[in-house]
């Protein structure tokens, strides 16, 4: 390929996700197709560390608007805090630049509407990075559903388990404050809601949810400011020594001198205001009923999903981290109403999310990549998954059923 025709990309946000998946992986795997021409982060030292990891000499900016105006990239990748995704996305669109944004696309219904309006007005494109769509087992389930082998889907059971390592980590970081992340109903569950929307090729209509803070935050009898200085380190199951992780030490510990943000904040600090235990009932426009849950302090990591249809059932338990050995493949059980059981083995593939990450990046960066399953996700997919999470959080606070379509279009609520 003629490298002079490469797409010029600017990266906004150089934390773990930005520097890793959208920095190092892109430089290593897609330099024939794209070139990272600028890095932007409000913390300049972090951006400098990221540039070193990437091995490039792109200029660094601390202001996204200045970067876009100066560098004039073809596309930006947004990896900032969820709550200011909309600001970065709209700035880029209005400058005539296409956007790839990390999920969730944003955190409030108002910001969803702002992004959709800007995209329509400017004629540019927003892609949302739903990498779970590309995992091999997920692709196989989608193919089975599309085949009609279990008839019309009538209900789904979907339960996600975050373990005491991964789940707790959200409560160490900025995600633990609702104003930053919209809660895990938005930040984490946006993946899960998008999967269901995509599996069903349908929109969620009504959501009723429960949520509570049962493990982290102020419910614990003791707390500190951060693990590094905590007087309870010797007796806390959640103590981490960030100095043992050179990656986090480089991207967060030294750069914390500039902005005060630390990567080992106490999971029991009182400012935490998001739930850690969540469940929801969702009804889709075509009538499918969903039972969903996510818990963040489990001894296991992974998920269980089952689809009930008019002709049978598909079910799968995916193991990510468990206190026992698991195979290098997933097993899907296809159970026909009057035809026995078929077990389908799906091998894991290289790359993050069992091979989903590189497949997503192929779709975004390699011209002409086929998309028979409609895996590439735009702003509307980003909007519907976020709005489902916003509806769930709102329902958990009010005890009321929430309409997703009325969040998207407030005029419906007024007319009602």
């Amino acid at each position: 390929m003629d490298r002079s025709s490469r797409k010029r990309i600017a990266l906004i946000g150089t934390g773990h996700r930005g520097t890793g998946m959208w920095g190092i992986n892109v430089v290593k795997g897609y330099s024939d197709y794209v070139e990272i021409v600028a890095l932007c982060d409000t913390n300049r030292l972090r951006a400098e560390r990221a540039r070193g990891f990437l091995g490039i000499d792109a200029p660094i900016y601390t202001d996204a608007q200045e970067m876009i105006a100066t560098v004039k990239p073809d596309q930006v990748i947004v990896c900032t805090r969820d709550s200011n995704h909309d600001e970065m996305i709209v700035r880029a669109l209005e400058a005539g630049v296409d956007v790839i944004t990390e999920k969730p696309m944003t955190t409030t219904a108002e910001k969803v509407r702002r992004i959709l309006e800007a995209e329509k007005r400017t004629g540019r494109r927003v892609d949302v990075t739903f990498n779970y769509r590309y995992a091999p087992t997920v692709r196989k389930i989608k193919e089975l559903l599309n085949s009609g082998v279990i008839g019309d889907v009538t209900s789904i059971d979907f339960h996600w388990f975050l373990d005491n390592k991964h789940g707790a980590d959200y409560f160490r970081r900025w995600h633990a404050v609702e104003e930053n992340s919209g809660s895990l109903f938005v930040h984490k569950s946006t993946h899960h809601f998008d999967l269901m929307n995509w599996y069903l090729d349908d929109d969620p209509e009504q959501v009723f949810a429960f949520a509570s803070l049962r493990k982290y935050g102020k419910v614990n009898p003791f707390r500190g400011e951060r693990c590094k200085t905590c007087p309870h380190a010797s007796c806390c199951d959640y103590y981490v020594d960030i100095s043992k992780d050179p990656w986090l030490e480089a991207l967060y510990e030294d750069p914390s001198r500039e902005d005060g943000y630390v990567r080992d904040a106490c999971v029991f600090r009182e400012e935490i205001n998001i739930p850690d235990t969540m469940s929801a009932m969702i009804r889709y426009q075509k009538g499918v009923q969903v039972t969903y849950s996510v818990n963040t302090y489990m001894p296991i990591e992974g998920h269980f999903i089952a689809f009930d249809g008019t002709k049978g059932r598909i079910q799968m338990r995916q193991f990510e981290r468990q206190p026992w050995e698991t195979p290098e493949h997933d097993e899907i059980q296809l159970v026909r109403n009057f035809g026995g059981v078929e077990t389908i083995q799906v091998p894991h593939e290289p790359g993050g999310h069992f091979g989903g990450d590189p497949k997503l990046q192929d779709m975004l960066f390699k011209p002409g990549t086929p998309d028979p399953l409609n895996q590439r996700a735009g702003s509307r997919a980003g909007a519907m998954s976020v709005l489902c999470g916003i509806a769930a959080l709102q329902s958990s606070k009010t005890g009321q059923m929430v309409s997703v379509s009325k969040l998207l279009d407030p005029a419906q609520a007024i007319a009602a």
Side-chain angles (χ1 to χ4, degrees), residues 53-184:
F53 282 123
L54 270 60
I56 61 176
D57 59 0
I60 290 173
Y61 295 83
T62 56
D63 181 270
Q65 190 164 351
E66 178 190 1
M67 179 195 70
I68 293 170
T70 304
V71 177
K72 295 180 173 57
D74 301 313
Q75 193 171 44
V76 300
I77 303 177
V78 176
C79 299
T80 60
R81 288 188 182 187
D82 302 343
S83 55
N84 68 4
H85 281 187
D86 68 306
E87 181 182 351
M88 301 298 110
I89 292 169
V90 172
R91 280 183 179 179
L93 294 174
E94 291 181 340
V97 178
D98 291 331
V99 177
I100 296 172
T101 182
E102 261 296 338
K103 60 83 197 165
M105 188 173 75
T106 188
T107 55
T108 72
E110 292 78 11
K111 292 177 179 181
V112 165
R113 295 193 293 269
R114 182 185 181 210
I115 292 170
L116 295 178
E117 185 279 329
E119 185 184 41
K120 182 178 180 181
R121 170 166 46 84
T122 61
R124 308 312 301 180
R125 179 184 174 94
V126 176
D127 279 288
V128 185
T129 61
F130 288 124
N131 45 8
Y132 274 117
R133 288 189 181 197
Y134 297 81
T137 304
V138 167
R139 297 197 307 268
K140 184 61 180 178
I141 289 174
K142 176 66 170 174
E143 290 169 355
L144 289 170
L145 293 172
N146 286 357
S147 75
V149 68
I150 63 167
D152 295 330
V153 176
T154 56
S155 64
I156 300 174
D157 292 311
F158 193 6
H159 306 288
W160 205 279
F161 317 107
L162 293 168
D163 67 14
N164 281 296
K165 179 180 179 181
H166 186 193
D169 220 29
Y170 289 111
F171 294 85
R172 294 189 180 98
R173 309 191 306 239
W174 53 262
H175 306 74
V177 177
E178 182 185 324
E179 291 76 8
N180 294 332
S181 65
S183 83
L184 294 183

Side-chain angles (χ1 to χ4, degrees), residues 317-361:
R317 166 79 166 93
Q318 187 168 73
F319 301 98
E320 295 192 29
R321 272 193 305 272
Q322 325 293 322
W324 61 84
E325 287 192 20
T326 57
E328 292 298 312
H329 64 264
D330 295 324
E331 291 188 347
I332 301 170
Q333 282 81 41
L334 169 60
V335 189
R336 295 175 174 85
N337 280 358
F338 304 101
V341 180
E342 178 183 351
T343 299
I344 303 167
Q345 289 191 356
V346 183
H348 299 163
E349 297 177 8
H353 295 92
F354 305 108
D357 289 1
K359 290 290 194 300
L360 165 64
Q361 292 179 323

Side-chain angles (χ1 to χ4, degrees), residues 374-388:
N374 194 30
Q375 289 167 289
R376 187 171 181 177
S379 61
R380 193 176 190 285
M384 297 313 296
S385 63
V386 165
L387 290 172
C388 194

Side-chain angles (χ1 to χ4, degrees), residues 3 6-11 17-37 39 53-54 56 75 77 79 100 102 129 357-358 360-362 364-366:
R3 289 170 68 94
R6 292 182 296 174
K7 185 175 289 187
R8 302 172 67 254
I9 289 180
L11 178 63
R17 190 71 167 169
T19 302
M21 180 169 178
W22 299 108
I24 294 172
N25 289 3
V26 171
V27 170
K28 286 184 176 179
Y30 299 91
S31 289
D32 285 343
Y33 306 96
V34 299
E35 177 186 10
I36 297 178
V37 297
L39 302 176
F53 282 123
L54 270 60
I56 61 176
Q75 193 171 44
I77 303 177
C79 299
I100 296 172
E102 261 296 338
T129 61
D357 289 1
L360 165 64
Q361 292 179 323
D362 286 351
L364 293 174
F365 299 135
K366 290 185 177 180

Side-chain angles (χ1 to χ4, degrees), residues 130-134 138 142 158 160 189-201 284 303 305 307 385:
F130 288 124
N131 45 8
Y132 274 117
R133 288 189 181 197
Y134 297 81
V138 167
K142 176 66 170 174
F158 193 6
W160 205 279
S189 298
T190 187
H191 265 317
H192 315 152
F193 297 145
D194 174 70
L195 279 180
M196 288 188 287
N197 299 347
W198 176 67
Y199 278 140
L200 298 173
D201 192 23
Y284 277 77
H303 73 277
I305 191 165
F307 302 82
S385 63

Side-chain angles (χ1 to χ4, degrees), residues 270-339:
E270 294 195 6
E271 71 169 342
I272 291 173
N273 64 354
I274 65 168
D276 56 21
T277 308
M278 295 153 280
S279 61
M281 294 287 294
I282 306 163
R283 184 166 62 192
Y284 277 77
Q285 290 184 359
K286 296 176 185 176
V288 176
Q289 301 171 29
V290 173
T291 303
Y292 168 79
S293 70
V294 58
N295 288 280
T296 62
Y297 44 87
M298 298 292 99
I300 58 174
E301 174 96 3
H303 73 277
F304 170 83
I305 191 165
F307 302 82
D308 295 314
T310 54
K311 295 181 180 179
R313 175 180 171 94
I314 294 169
Q315 64 183 27
M316 187 271 296
R317 166 79 166 93
Q318 187 168 73
F319 301 98
E320 295 192 29
R321 272 193 305 272
Q322 325 293 322
W324 61 84
E325 287 192 20
T326 57
E328 292 298 312
H329 64 264
D330 295 324
E331 291 188 347
I332 301 170
Q333 282 81 41
L334 169 60
V335 189
R336 295 175 174 85
N337 280 358
F338 304 101

